[in-house]
Amino acid sequence: MVAKTFGSAVSGVDAKLITIEVNVGQGTNFYMVGLPDSAVKESQQRVESALKYHGYRMPRQKVVINLAPADLRKEGSSYDLPIAMGILQASEQVFFPGLEDYLIMGELSLDGRLRSIKGVLPIAIEARKRGFKGFILPKENANEAAIVNKLDIIGVETLQEAIHFLEGTQEIAPLVTDTRNVFFNSLEDYAFDFADVQGQENIKRAMEIAAAGGHNVIMIGPPGAGKTMLAKRLPSILPPLSLQEALETTKIHSVAGKLGVEAALVAQRPFRSPHHTISDVALVGGGGNPQPGEISLSHNGVLFLDELPEFKRTVLEVLRQPLEERKVTISRAKVSVDFPANFMLVASMNPCPCGYYNHPEKECVCGPGVVQKYLNKVSGPLLDRIDLHVEVTPVNFEEMTSEGKSESSKSIRARVSLARERQLSRFSDSPEVHCNAMMPSHTVKKLCKINQAGKVLLKTAMERLGLSARAYDRILKVSRTIADLAGSEEIRVEHLAEAIQYRSLDREGWAG
């Protein structure tokens, strides 16, 4: 007898339907075909032990399991449960009247308990798209799958529960979650707030501009000046995630297995801060079965690289293409996978190896040429993609002990959201452009026009400060964002002047 169950394989951030066909006939061997990896092949031992634990038997006949389509590689241990169900049906130990109405996934332990799996959200989306009645999966993953409506989410803890449910002898109520309600109630849950930051008003202003225009930013200053503290608070002033952005972000975290047991939709913008020892593949993504890297996990959020010059040169160089394309394409011999990577890059660094170059009180002990050599660890092409260069100075004692309240993230976020709305209205004809930082060069010329006084100022700045030609477009984009924050349709001279001061690393002889 041939039995069919349905599972799914995750490719990139999407899922593909897998049909698991089980045939029990004359013979004695166990065969699994359809390009299974080692983890899938080992399911034979887990399934046999789980079946025996609950009083069922593994057929002592020829068992053939086909995972179709046969030319797609199957990986992981999440096929245990559908294989077990197929074996029970094919060997006529149990009859499941509605087996083909459900997509089934789950890893079995030796005593028949179910362990959590990765990639549940894209699988649930595929199940609904294919018209399945429901999705049977480990109870730990049920909240994540319940994001998808119009699909019965049946969370089970053991193999026995799944068997009784499909037999019709046990009722399990589908898990229902009010996704929108949960999502909108979690939007304001930020761990960090700008109200906690004393002083550093010029840095807060730079962060507000970066958030309003989606600009990449680098902070340079001595240790203990507050660079990391300020970076951690940046997500709290970014516009709240839309429901569509939240779904995209949650899919990526689901595929990577980064969602907790009780997780539903990701409601806050991600903040990822990888250590400087990270490898190229861990940052960009990859592997035999391509998995998302840190830049995809920070999609719709912030990627923070602390101590930028300490990262390996090759790691930093792989950032260049994703910063421009807003996606990562990982190609293998048989498969090519796209991962989204629309993130804000925030970097910080010391001005020199000892950390005290240009410090107002402490003396730098680095030798001649050492400072420039340290700064040269960060390549020009990467700096070219960073719009704001901000010098961070230490907070003095009076500011640190001040009793005055700093402005909260909520009030800054209100201004940022207003500026983003102006930009979305301006780019309504270009759906791929969402903020000023994403403007292509031909759009910059059209939308960032400056008057004669502005041209004179920009020319003077480029000549006197030794600004490079590559800074020209960046200055115009940032000045457009500053004008949006001020509610101005035109880029005025004061907007340009403020944008120019955020190109400190372009100045000739900055490290003197």
Side-chain angles (χ1 to χ4, degrees):
M1 181 180 175
V2 176
K4 279 187 184 180
T5 59
F6 296 95
S8 186
V10 176
S11 175
V13 291
D14 296 311
K16 294 179 180 177
L17 185 68
I18 302 296
T19 304
I20 297 135
E21 301 169 327
V22 182
N23 181 33
V24 177
Q26 290 184 342
T28 55
N29 289 336
F30 183 98
Y31 299 97
M32 188 177 291
V33 296
L35 285 184
D37 74 346
S38 297
V40 182
K41 287 176 183 174
E42 289 165 359
S43 68
Q44 178 187 355
Q45 311 304 325
R46 292 190 295 271
V47 169
E48 182 170 357
S49 176
L51 288 175
K52 284 182 178 177
Y53 188 87
H54 288 294
Y56 301 97
R57 60 180 171 79
M58 191 71 162
R60 294 304 168 201
Q61 298 164 273
K62 181 180 177 183
V63 179
V64 180
I65 297 171
N66 178 39
L67 307 173
D71 61 345
L72 179 68
R73 188 159 181 78
K74 323 300 181 307
E75 299 186 335
S77 54
S78 54
Y79 297 100
D80 293 0
L81 187 57
I83 287 171
M85 293 304 186
I87 288 172
L88 287 172
Q89 177 96 322
S91 60
E92 299 181 350
Q93 297 180 65
V94 180
F95 175 65
F96 299 127
L99 184 60
E100 295 189 9
D101 294 337
Y102 291 89
L103 193 145
I104 306 169
M105 294 294 278
E107 177 188 338
L108 287 169
S109 59
L110 298 184
D111 63 358
R113 291 185 177 276
L114 283 166
R115 292 196 172 100
S116 62
I117 58 174
K118 295 196 294 186
V120 164
L121 181 56
I123 293 171
I125 292 169
E126 180 69 8
R128 184 181 66 179
K129 180 179 160 188
R130 294 280 186 162
F132 284 96
K133 181 183 176 184
F135 181 14
I136 299 172
L137 75 166
K139 200 165 188 176
E140 287 183 31
N141 298 112
N143 279 326
E144 184 185 332
I147 293 168
V148 180
N149 55 17
K150 298 178 184 175
L151 184 72
D152 290 352
I153 303 302
I154 310 297
V156 292
E157 292 183 334
T158 64
L159 171 64
Q160 190 75 72
E161 269 186 50
I163 292 169
H164 288 333
F165 172 77
L166 285 169
E167 276 184 314
T169 58
Q170 179 181 346
E171 282 192 22
I172 300 176
L175 181 65
V176 178
T177 302
D178 188 344
T179 307
R180 289 177 180 274
N181 188 39
V182 172
F183 172 64
F184 289 116
N185 284 341
S186 307
L187 280 177
E188 303 294 327
D189 294 345
Y190 291 102
F192 303 101
D193 197 292
F194 271 97
D196 307 328
V197 182
Q198 296 290 348
Q200 302 288 26
E201 296 305 321
N202 59 325
I203 318 300
K204 289 181 193 172
R205 170 65 177 172
M207 287 295 195
E208 182 179 338
I209 294 166
H215 301 290
N216 302 319
V217 57
I218 183 168
M219 294 177 284
I220 181 165
K227 302 185 293 293
T228 305
M229 179 187 67
L230 287 157
K232 283 182 178 178
R233 283 157 176 75
L234 181 59
S236 70
I237 63 170
L238 287 167
L241 283 169
S242 67
L243 207 53
Q244 182 59 37
E245 286 177 325
L247 193 61
E248 285 177 4
T249 307
T250 308
K251 277 175 72 176
I252 296 166
H253 284 73
S254 173
V255 169
K258 301 291 184 185
L259 293 176
V261 174
E262 296 299 321
L265 269 179
V266 173
Q268 277 82 42
R269 293 190 179 272
F271 179 85
R272 304 293 300 182
S273 180
H275 193 258
H276 62 255
T277 54
I278 192 171
S279 68
D280 312 19
V281 172
L283 186 69
V284 175
N289 175 32
Q291 292 287 301
E294 287 293 333
I295 61 175
S296 292
L297 291 168
S298 56
H299 178 62
N300 290 324
V302 174
L303 177 66
F304 177 50
L305 302 183
D306 200 5
E307 305 300 343
L308 190 67
E310 302 302 329
F311 284 79
K312 294 196 288 283
R313 183 82 173 216
T314 53
V315 171
L316 293 180
E317 294 312 299
V318 296
L319 277 173
R320 285 156 56 176
Q321 185 255 347
L323 281 170
E324 292 291 324
E325 302 291 331
R326 309 276 172 176
K327 67 174 183 179
V328 177
T329 302
I330 298 167
S331 297
R332 295 289 178 267
K334 292 186 178 180
V335 67
S336 181
V337 175
D338 283 342
F339 288 115
N342 184 13
F343 60 92
M344 273 181 68
L345 175 64
V346 179
S348 74
M349 60 184 285
N350 294 329
C352 65
C354 80
Y356 296 108
Y357 180 78
N358 270 355
H359 194 283
E361 294 165 8
K362 296 187 180 181
E363 189 176 343
C364 173
V365 296
C366 299
V370 172
V371 178
Q372 191 61 54
K373 185 180 177 182
Y374 183 75
L375 292 175
N376 286 345
K377 286 185 177 182
V378 184
S379 71
L382 181 60
L383 278 179
D384 185 33
R385 289 161 173 80
I386 299 177
D387 301 348
L388 292 110
H389 307 162
V390 187
E391 292 180 62
V392 183
T393 52
V395 181
N396 60 42
F397 184 78
E398 287 73 21
E399 287 178 323
M400 207 181 301
T401 55
S402 170
E403 295 294 327
K405 280 282 182 185
S406 296
E407 189 176 17
S408 70
S409 291
K410 189 174 182 179
S411 59
I412 300 172
R413 188 165 65 246
R415 294 196 296 271
V416 168
S417 297
L418 206 59
R420 284 285 183 107
E421 284 170 18
R422 292 189 180 101
Q423 292 165 48
L424 286 172
S425 174
R426 187 183 300 126
F427 302 129
S428 57
D429 296 334
S430 305
E432 72 284 355
V433 180
H434 307 297
C435 56
N436 289 334
M438 298 172 74
M439 272 193 285
S441 295
H442 62 87
T443 312
V444 173
K445 291 179 181 177
K446 188 168 71 174
L447 297 178
C448 300
K449 291 179 179 175
I450 52 177
N451 58 25
Q452 191 56 40
K455 288 177 182 175
V456 171
L457 173 67
L458 198 48
K459 183 184 177 190
T460 306
M462 293 187 77
E463 289 173 354
R464 288 189 181 175
L465 298 175
L467 294 175
S468 65
R470 70 174 181 241
Y472 179 76
D473 267 12
R474 304 286 169 181
I475 289 172
L476 288 179
K477 287 181 183 181
V478 173
S479 58
R480 178 65 267 170
T481 300
I482 295 168
D484 288 336
L485 280 168
S488 171
E489 286 300 318
E490 296 179 359
I491 298 174
R492 297 199 290 266
V493 173
E494 58 267 30
H495 304 146
L496 263 175
E498 187 176 0
I500 289 166
Q501 73 172 353
Y502 294 124
R503 297 301 299 187
S504 57
L505 292 183
D506 278 339
R507 295 175 195 163
E508 287 180 2
W510 185 90

